[in-house]
Each structure stands twice: as structure tokens, then as C-alpha cells.
Amino acid sequence: MRRESARGDFNPSMRSSSVLTLAFGGGAGCTLLCSACVHFVFVWNVERCFTLKQTGLQPKATIISSGQGSVQCVSFNEDSKKIAACVGKDVLILKTQCQKVEIVLEGHTSLVTAANFYRQSTEWIVSVSEDRTFKVWDIVQGVLVYQSSIVSASPFTCLSIHHRECQFAVGSSDGKVRVYDLTVGNGFRCVRDFEVSRFISEECSGEEEPRDGPTVISSRPAWKLAEESQLTAAADERESNTEIGTAVIGLFYWSVSQEEQELYSQAATETGIFYPPDQQPMARDAICGQTSFLVVVTQSALVAIDCHSSQRVCDVSFQKSLLDSDLLKIVVASVVAFNAISSDQLQCVVHSPFQQSLFILHLDRTQPPLEPSIMFTPLSGSESLDSHSTASKGEMSFAFLTVLSREPLVSESPLKAELVPKVKTTATKRGVSKHISSRSAIKDQPLTFHSKVKSSGYSSAPRMKMFVPKTGIPSTKGSTCSHKSTSTSLKSSTRQSSEEAKRQYPVDAVPPTHLKASVSLSDKPVAITKIKFSDDGHRLACCLSDGTCHCLKTPLTGNGPILRGHNGGVTSASWSHDGNWLLTGSSDKAARLWSVRQPDNPLMAVSQIQHNFKPSVEKVAAEAERFSKEITDAQFFYVDKFFLLVSGNSLYLYKYYIDSEKPDDVRRYQNNSRYKLVKRFHQEAAQQITAISCVNEFHSYIVLCGGSNKTVEVYDMNAGRSARTMKDVHCRPVHCISQNKGSAFVGHPPDAYDLFLTTAVTDGIKLWDLRSDKCVRHYEGHANRFHPVGTAISPCARFIGTGSEDKAAYLFDIRSPSHLHKLLGHGDIISDVAFHPLHSQFVTSSANGKLNVYADL
């Protein structure tokens, strides 16, 4: 907008009344502007007013209503032929071409603060009021579609509808924004709510003055100092926020046009959820299409929030001096209007009752990076000034990280470590050294002349079958038989390969929502803490709080070996890549490695930190050090070459060797399996590591660790160090991290494996892209207020499953923040969930010791 045409000529009043509300016409590129005062409602043609001003004539407006009283809000419909005006406790439907009140909507018990048309259904209008309720009207049928109960402690102040996502946002005077679902049949449920103050508090607080005082040298741990500093900062924040107005006065959904979104949807439909690798887009664009923003204006700031991830992308504080000038400051914002010039540009007009000027904030999403830039243009005759304010201030340039290992191992990589059993060397009579493995058994030697003696056969059992042919070995007596055998083997190999090709995960299957089976693991209610499928899908490991781990065969019937040996609750379980070994961690400060074929005794117990070799005399105390805290997580890593343990705020990487020799009756109680510590990763800023995730299905260097300090640490095991620290991932510590690992029966493009989920109490589920270090989407709707619940991504990467505290499991579409299905039929809290790697099945575990299996039709 040009400055010379934006002088103080736009005074939409015919008397000395103040302007009460403004609104631009519906649709991008519309030049209509509606303004209202106590006595009149005007409609202005902005382009025509510019033309009249240039020719020296006075701009004029069309009066569409008079004598109606105080107007709280006005809004256009999509074709800009109708206007909804909020007058008192009613909503008036006016026509823009003539002075006529067409419809009156009544029913609110207090002032109606906002009303908007819903474009997906042109007959619907959503209204909010100071009575803390909202209503959905059908003006064609003349009925009330929905009336909410009182949902807030503070009055509703503004409203905005996201027409493409079928959602609407409501702002209140206490600084909260609530997002509701407008989809027919979903009950107009609340899908998200957040405090705007947590996005603008840092900007409004201003720069802290340096405090005079002595230098403090503390011996407290780093995590303790971090907690105290956070508490101090929170107290200062509460103190500073007491003088800042956080009431929401304006909301606007800023998204791409319908045509552009159809192009994204068509490309996603043709190529699947993810784009082909040659295009190399970010995974967030492939899933979500073009990003939409929710622009929130309060009395003290403007904030642009990503609709998919609920992350701040841009903010401007009105309390600070704009453009380094004390005069360019909005004291208290009272009126705001939005104009979507295009899908990439948005104008926001802000007015303050204490200043004789308007401020235009110009947002442009085409400015790199994705965060929009902002231009301020005061309408008081001063020169227009430009400024850019994005959320990328001081943004770090992260190194390129990906889950798939694309670089070779470095020379000093910890992943090169191997644990090879020692070989004993003995000398024979002739002086030639002979190598005997420490795990090889002593074989029987002949008694006479070093040659075998033929037995008489009296002590052997009688022969029941005189001859058994070996049909699997080809005959060498004739070429015909040999050719026939070779042909048979080729046919069998071809048949086997065709059967393996048929074993593919159904990527186009419907969500598994039908209850197929329910299994109880014990007679008494015992909580199931974790469940984990093996890579081939033949077994399911169930960790119980009574110290046992059940290895159930699929399809689940409750049959399978029970692993007993832990003296505390089993906290985690991890299958080896071939499905023969199972690694469990427990609250008894030890981990155990089991063989499913021999479940009576563990192959190896890990209770000492360094190794389980015989300690030397000099280092008995150091090498015999045991874990001081429980093993909260244990996982195989790097295709079974290593395993990871978590205890306290440390992550341990171990190499190991399993004695696979079949022991005899004498050696069955001797354990020759060994392990040794390769590297220890210590998080000083965290009191405890709350969750980890790594890939064992293929070679990957990345390990993700969530800490009690609300961060996620990304470790590069090839370099043996932390590669990135993601701060403030959630408002609470992360208790579950789930990566998109796919399975052996389905494949994805390389960028798909960089997606992972994080879950925290009271903060829902967030989807992240490892390469961009930003949240892609935010999923809410399930109950998770105090008990940690598990999450999982389906092998096809289309669905997200999560547990809940309301005795139900939820299934989300990875592209939608609202849940698809709510699975009932449980008797207690859903502690963990898992998807079958081959079939479209979904398994849930509850705190009462029961499993539910859901499948598609």
C-alpha cells in the first residue's frame, strides 16, 4: 500500500463517533472495507476511494444500516454480498448493496463479540459471545445447529474460521485460544487450546538489566541450577506479565488458496504420502502441504502460529519501540482488521484509541526462511519504515542429519568396536601351536592307536528303520537325475521368493478399528508397561510390573514363554533383528538378555557398568561398579552389534558377545557371554533421561534421547558426540519417542525415516522432521494428564496410534491433527500401543493386564 494514499483520510464516520470495528471483504483481492460506529454501518470501495482522492474528490461510502446501535463486530461472506453485524445480543445479516436487515439471530444472553460465515456451508454462521458460549446457525433452514455449554472462565472476544481444515478458533479475554472442529458428525469438539502469553512473554518482558552482586560458584549439579534458573525466570515472567494486556482482540487464519492446495493434494495422491526422492522436498511439506498460520493479535503483541505444529513463527511486541523510535509504539491495541492480499501476503491494520494513527503490519511468507517478514507503515504522515522480525533470530546453522547412514565410519568411531572372544594357544608334542577357542568343548579321543574302534552294537538301541533316503541331496550317479534335482530346487527357490514377495504390508488398508481378540496375561490385574513386536511379527513381548516378560506368539492367544528373573518391574523390551534374542530392562537396576528358544535362564545379565569380565586385582572397585539407578530403557542398536542402556541421566553403549555353543550337563551353568562398555554419554543439564529411540532394522548412527529438562538430544554415534540439542520440545519432559521405522515388509523414501514423534504429559503428540529441527504437526484430543502413555507410527506411515487415560485408544491420520477413531473396550488406562509389522493390526495394552487386538475388515 502506498504511503501517499494512506494519509488520515480514511475516517469512516459521518459524525464525531469513534470507529468501533473494521473488516475487509471476503476472498483474496477483494477491495471492500466495512466500518461501523454507533449510528451507521458503512461499506467502502478502497480502490474507488484511492481514485477519488487522486482526483481531489472526497471519498464516499455506502450506508447499509443506520440507527442499529453499538456494533461489536462485522464480517463478510465469501462473495462479499452479505455482512454479519454483531449488535448487542443479536447478529444482523445485512446486504452490501442496499440498506436492509435480512435476518436477525438471537439467543445469546450477553453481547455477541464476533460472528463469521462458514464457506464450506454458505448457510452456516458461527457466533461467539461474552456469555462464554458459541453457536452454529443455519440461516437457510432457520435453525440452530449447535449450542455449546459454558467453556471458559472469561468472555469470548474474537473468532476466525479455517475453511479448508474445517476448524474455527475462538479467543478470550484471558489470553487463551481454543480451536474447535467444524466437521459434521464430530460434535464440534475442542481439538486444541493454548495460552498466547507463552508465545509473547519473552518479547514483552524487555531486556534485563545487569544485576550487581558477587560472583556465585556453586557445587550443585547442572540440572539443579537449570531448574532454579527456570523457576526464577518464571517468577519474573509472572511479575512482568501483570502489567501487560494479553486479551485476544483479533484472530485470522492465513492459508494458501484452494487451487494451490489442490495441487499439493494431487501430488500427494499420485506419489503417496511422501514425494519421490528426486524432488527431495521436506517431509513436512509432503505431509501437510503448504503451511497455514493462525495470526493472533492481543492488546500488546502480534503472534503468527503454525497451525500444524502450534509453534511460533513470528511475533511483534507493541510494548517495545518499533523501528528504534519511541514515537512508533502502539500503547494499547483495541481494533484490528486483516486483508489477505494473496496467499503469500497479508496486511494487518491495528488502531489504538490513545493515538491518532493507524499501523499496517505487512506479512510476506515468500521471504526466506518460512517465517514471514514484517513491514510497519504508520499512518500519521511520517515516512514509511521497513523492518523484518522473524523467529529465526540467532538461529543456528545445524549440520545435515539424517537417520539413514550415508557416510562411512570415521577412523575413531565407537561403532568400530567389537568384542571378540580370546583364543587360547596350547603346544603339542611336536612343538606346533594349536589354537583352541575358549568356548569349544573337549571332544572324546579314541582309545586304541588313535583310531576309532567299531562298536559291537549290544549297548545301542535297536534300529527301527533300516533305511531313510535323503531326498534333499541331488544324486551324482546320472546326469538326468542331477538335472531333475536342480530343476526341483530352482522351482522351490522361485516359489519361496514369490511367497516372500507376497508378504507385503497393505499400505492402502483402512484403519484397524474392529476388535478381533482380547487376551488377559494373568489371573490378577498386573499392569503392562510396554509391548513390542519382533521385526518378523511372529512374537509380541509384553513387559509387566511384576518382573516378568511374556513372549506371545501371533496370532495372539496368550500362549508363549514367560521370562522370569528380574526382581523389579520390567520397564522395556527390545527384539534382536532376527527375533531370537530379547533384551529387557528393569527397575532392579539390571538388564538381561534372553533366548526365546531357551527362556529358563538369561544368556547374560548386565548389572555392572564396565563389563562382566573377571576384574583385575588393582581395579576391583572401579570395574565392579554397579548401576545406581533403575534401567529405564534397553534397546538393540546398529543391527544387533551393540545395545544401549539408560540409567539416570546417562546413556551407555555396549558391545557384547553371546556364547552360542550348546552346553552339556557340566557347562550348562557356566555363562561365557560377555559385554563391555564402549562409551558413556552423560547429560549434565538433565536429572534423568526420560525416553530414547534408535533404529535397529538397518544401519543408522542416530540416537534420540529425551531429558527431564524438556530437551531432545540427538547423538551421532559415528562421531561419538551430541550433534544437536532440541530445546523446549514440550512444556513437560518427553516420556515417549517413536521413530518412523517402517518394517521389513514395506518401503519408504529416504526422507520418510527422518520423522519421529514425541509425547509429553498435558502437551499431546508432536511430529518432528530431523533435518529441519522443527515441529511438523501437533496432535491433541486424547486424555494424557498425569500418566505416561505410549505412541506408535504404523508401518505404512499413514496412521498414529496412542494410548489414553480415558480407557480408550486413539488413531490419528498423520496429515490431520484431529483423531480419526476412538477405540473403546478397555477396562483401564492404555499404557502402550503397537502396530503389527506385516498385517494391518493394532494392539493396545492396559494397566489391568489385558491386550486388545484391532484389525481391519
Side-chain angles (χ1 to χ4, degrees):
M1 185 180 294
R2 295 174 297 180
R3 183 182 61 84
E4 58 269 15
S5 61
R7 305 267 181 180
D9 297 327
F10 288 93
N11 183 19
S13 62
M14 297 183 64
R15 301 182 183 179
S16 59
S17 300
S18 301
V19 177
L20 300 177
T21 181
L22 296 170
F24 284 100
C30 183
T31 60
L32 295 182
L33 174 67
C34 181
S35 61
C37 61
V38 176
H39 305 285
F40 300 96
V41 177
F42 301 92
V43 174
W44 303 74
N45 190 321
V46 180
E47 288 187 353
R48 183 181 177 185
C49 292
F50 284 162
T51 304
L52 293 176
K53 175 61 180 177
Q54 291 176 354
T55 57
L57 300 178
Q58 183 69 22
K60 297 181 180 180
T62 302
I63 301 176
I64 62 173
S65 178
S66 61
Q68 75 285 336
S70 179
V71 180
Q72 292 80 242
C73 178
V74 291
S75 63
F76 286 85
N77 67 340
E78 185 178 9
D79 56 6
S80 300
K81 293 183 179 180
K82 294 181 180 180
I83 292 178
C86 303
V87 181
K89 302 178 183 179
D90 302 331
V91 180
L92 308 182
I93 308 300
L94 309 174
K95 289 188 176 181
T96 59
Q97 304 297 330
C98 60
Q99 185 175 350
K100 179 182 178 181
V101 179
E102 186 177 9
I103 301 174
V104 178
L105 306 177
E106 61 179 11
H108 284 287
T109 59
S110 186
L111 291 178
V112 180
T113 55
N116 283 354
F117 290 87
Y118 180 39
R119 294 180 185 175
Q120 298 294 338
S121 179
T122 56
E123 302 85 3
W124 281 15
I125 290 180
V126 182
S127 62
V128 296
S129 171
E130 289 185 355
D131 59 9
R132 298 164 291 172
T133 65
F134 68 87
K135 299 178 186 291
V136 182
W137 310 81
D138 190 332
I139 60 176
V140 173
Q141 299 294 332
V143 296
L144 177 65
V145 179
Y146 181 80
Q147 176 179 352
S148 72
S149 59
I150 298 177
V151 295
S152 172
S154 301
F156 289 152
T157 57
C158 53
L159 166 72
S160 181
I161 299 179
H162 196 326
H163 303 280
R164 178 165 52 82
E165 296 289 343
C166 300
Q167 296 178 351
F168 68 94
V170 180
S172 57
S173 59
D174 58 353
K176 283 188 177 181
V177 175
R178 296 172 175 85
V179 181
Y180 292 90
D181 191 356
L182 264 176
T183 306
V184 179
N186 285 346
F188 301 94
R189 63 176 183 266
C190 181
V191 296
R192 187 175 304 163
D193 62 85
F194 54 86
E195 296 259 2
V196 184
S197 59
R198 68 186 179 96
F199 295 106
I200 63 177
S201 58
E202 296 179 359
E203 296 295 331
C204 294
S205 60
E207 298 181 358
E208 296 185 359
E209 298 180 358
R211 300 179 180 180
D212 297 332
T215 302
V216 179
I217 301 176
S218 177
S219 62
R220 299 179 182 179
W223 61 267
K224 189 67 176 179
L225 296 176
E227 284 186 354
E228 292 181 354
S229 62
Q230 291 178 1
L231 293 176
T232 304
D236 296 341
E237 178 181 332
R238 289 192 297 269
E239 183 179 355
S240 62
N241 285 342
T242 56
E243 300 180 358
I244 299 174
T246 58
V248 181
I249 62 173
L251 292 171
F252 186 80
Y253 274 110
W254 182 25
S255 59
V256 298
S257 62
Q258 186 68 24
E259 293 77 10
E260 292 176 314
Q261 185 61 31
E262 289 178 357
L263 294 178
Y264 280 97
S265 302
Q266 181 179 1
T269 302
E270 294 175 353
T271 59
I273 294 181
F274 303 101
Y275 285 76
D278 54 354
Q279 297 182 10
Q280 295 182 355
M282 299 303 291
R284 56 179 294 169
D285 295 333
I287 295 178
C288 310
Q290 188 71 13
T291 305
S292 300
F293 299 110
L294 175 60
V295 182
V296 183
V297 178
T298 67
Q299 293 177 340
S300 59
L302 177 144
V303 182
I305 301 173
D306 192 320
C307 297
H308 297 149
S309 61
S310 299
Q311 300 294 311
R312 178 185 61 186
V313 294
C314 174
D315 58 344
V316 179
S317 174
F318 300 155
Q319 302 298 318
K320 288 187 176 182
S321 300
L322 306 181
L323 306 175
D324 299 329
S325 174
D326 293 337
L327 299 178
L328 299 179
K329 179 188 297 186
I330 303 177
V331 179
V332 177
S334 61
V335 180
V336 59
F338 301 93
N339 180 29
I341 302 175
S342 65
S343 59
D344 294 330
Q345 295 184 358
L346 175 69
Q347 285 183 341
C348 176
V349 181
V350 181
H351 171 67
S352 174
F354 303 101
Q355 296 169 281
Q356 299 298 323
S357 60
L358 297 178
F359 290 81
I360 294 181
L361 287 78
H362 185 84
L363 291 85
D364 189 354
R365 71 163 72 235
T366 60
Q367 296 292 333
L370 286 177
E371 293 81 358
S373 61
I374 298 178
M375 178 184 68
F376 302 95
T377 305
L379 303 181
S380 58
S382 59
E383 295 296 330
S384 60
L385 300 174
D386 295 340
S387 175
H388 295 276
S389 175
T390 64
S392 60
K393 300 175 182 178
E395 186 176 1
M396 299 176 59
S397 58
F398 295 107
F400 180 76
L401 290 178
T402 180
V403 172
L404 292 176
S405 54
R406 300 179 180 178
E407 299 294 334
L409 296 176
V410 297
S411 58
E412 298 181 355
S413 174
L415 301 181
K416 286 188 175 182
E418 293 186 22
L419 187 59
V420 181
K422 294 183 179 180
V423 178
K424 297 182 179 180
T425 304
T426 59
T428 61
K429 294 182 178 180
R430 298 181 179 180
V432 181
S433 62
K434 183 178 180 180
H435 297 279
I436 301 177
S437 174
S438 61
R439 60 183 177 88
S440 62
I442 301 176
K443 299 181 180 180
D444 295 335
Q445 300 294 330
L447 300 177
T448 307
F449 301 104
H450 301 286
S451 61
K452 293 183 179 180
V453 178
K454 187 176 182 180
S455 175
S456 60
Y458 291 108
S459 61
S460 61
R463 185 175 296 178
M464 303 302 296
K465 293 183 180 181
M466 300 302 298
F467 177 74
V468 178
K470 297 182 179 180
T471 57
I473 300 178
S475 175
T476 58
K477 294 184 178 180
S479 59
T480 304
C481 295
S482 177
H483 175 73
K484 184 177 180 180
S485 176
T486 305
S487 175
T488 305
S489 63
L490 288 175
K491 289 182 179 179
S492 62
S493 62
T494 305
R495 188 183 305 111
Q496 183 178 2
S497 61
S498 63
E499 291 177 357
E500 290 294 332
K502 293 179 181 178
R503 293 169 59 86
Q504 295 183 0
Y505 188 89
V507 295
D508 56 348
V510 297
T513 58
H514 299 275
L515 183 61
K516 185 178 180 181
S518 182
V519 180
S520 180
L521 299 185
S522 61
D523 299 333
K524 299 180 180 179
V526 180
I528 303 176
T529 56
K530 295 287 183 181
I531 57 176
K532 181 70 174 178
F533 271 108
S534 59
D535 291 351
D536 54 9
H538 292 166
R539 293 182 181 272
L540 176 69
C542 304
C543 305
L544 275 67
S545 59
D546 61 354
T548 62
C549 183
H550 295 241
C551 299
L552 307 181
K553 296 181 180 180
T554 56
L556 298 180
T557 58
N559 298 326
I562 301 178
L563 309 180
R564 306 178 187 273
H566 286 290
N567 297 324
V570 182
T571 57
S572 64
S574 176
W575 289 97
S576 61
H577 186 58
D578 56 5
N580 294 328
W581 298 339
L582 183 67
L583 179 65
T584 59
S586 173
S587 58
D588 60 359
K589 305 176 184 179
R592 283 171 171 80
L593 185 62
W594 309 80
S595 173
V596 181
R597 299 176 180 177
Q598 300 175 356
D600 297 334
N601 296 307
L603 297 176
M604 183 173 61
V606 183
S607 58
Q608 299 179 171
I609 295 179
Q610 295 296 328
H611 54 73
N612 63 344
F613 301 134
K614 184 178 180 181
S616 58
V617 180
E618 299 83 3
K619 302 179 180 180
V620 173
E623 296 182 358
E625 181 185 1
R626 295 179 177 270
F627 293 102
S628 59
K629 297 184 179 180
E630 65 177 14
I631 305 297
T632 57
D633 213 327
Q635 295 191 23
F636 283 102
F637 178 61
Y638 209 66
V639 194
D640 299 342
K641 186 178 180 181
F642 304 93
F643 64 85
L644 298 168
L645 297 183
V646 173
S647 179
N649 59 351
S650 297
L651 172 67
Y652 301 89
L653 175 66
Y654 288 95
K655 57 183 179 180
Y656 66 99
Y657 164 77
I658 300 299
D659 186 9
S660 58
E661 290 289 335
K662 295 182 179 179
D664 52 19
D665 293 338
V666 178
R667 298 178 58 252
R668 61 182 301 180
Y669 298 103
Q670 296 179 358
N671 192 347
N672 294 321
S673 300
R674 296 290 181 259
Y675 70 90
K676 187 176 182 181
L677 178 66
V678 177
K679 194 174 180 64
R680 175 181 178 180
F681 302 89
H682 185 67
Q683 292 190 12
E684 296 182 355
Q687 184 181 7
Q688 185 178 1
I689 295 178
T690 55
I692 70 166
S693 179
C694 64
V695 176
N696 188 52
E697 289 78 2
F698 51 85
H699 290 92
S700 175
Y701 305 147
I702 301 300
V703 177
L704 305 174
C705 290
S708 58
N709 57 344
K710 308 174 189 177
T711 64
V712 171
E713 202 81 21
V714 182
Y715 288 101
D716 185 357
M717 290 300 177
N718 185 21
R721 61 179 178 83
S722 174
R724 183 184 304 171
T725 301
M726 302 169 59
K727 297 182 179 180
D728 297 328
V729 175
H730 287 273
C731 63
R732 297 285 184 89
V734 177
H735 65 255
C736 181
I737 302 177
S738 301
Q739 292 181 260
N740 180 32
K741 304 177 183 179
S743 73
F745 310 100
V746 65
H748 296 299
D751 63 336
Y753 297 100
D754 294 324
L755 298 176
F756 64 94
L757 298 173
T758 59
T759 310
V761 174
T762 70
D763 202 15
I765 305 170
K766 290 185 179 182
L767 179 66
W768 301 82
D769 185 355
L770 181 62
R771 298 172 299 168
S772 64
D773 190 41
K774 291 183 180 179
C775 180
V776 178
R777 272 197 181 276
H778 194 182
Y779 307 91
E780 290 182 326
H782 61 289
N784 188 12
R785 293 177 291 270
F786 59 90
H787 192 282
V789 295
T791 58
I793 303 178
S794 64
C796 62
R798 294 173 52 211
F799 307 112
I800 295 174
T802 180
S804 180
E805 297 172 359
D806 57 357
K807 302 179 183 180
Y810 290 79
L811 286 177
F812 292 84
D813 189 330
I814 198 170
R815 301 184 188 181
S816 175
S818 179
H819 66 267
L820 287 177
H821 299 280
K822 181 179 180 180
L823 307 180
L824 304 175
H826 306 83
D828 210 329
I829 297 175
I830 308 303
S831 57
D832 201 9
V833 296
F835 286 94
H836 196 281
L838 177 58
H839 306 292
S840 180
Q841 294 181 358
F842 181 61
V843 181
T844 62
S845 63
S846 57
N848 59 356
K850 292 186 178 181
L851 298 173
N852 280 8
V853 183
Y854 296 87
D856 56 355
L857 291 177

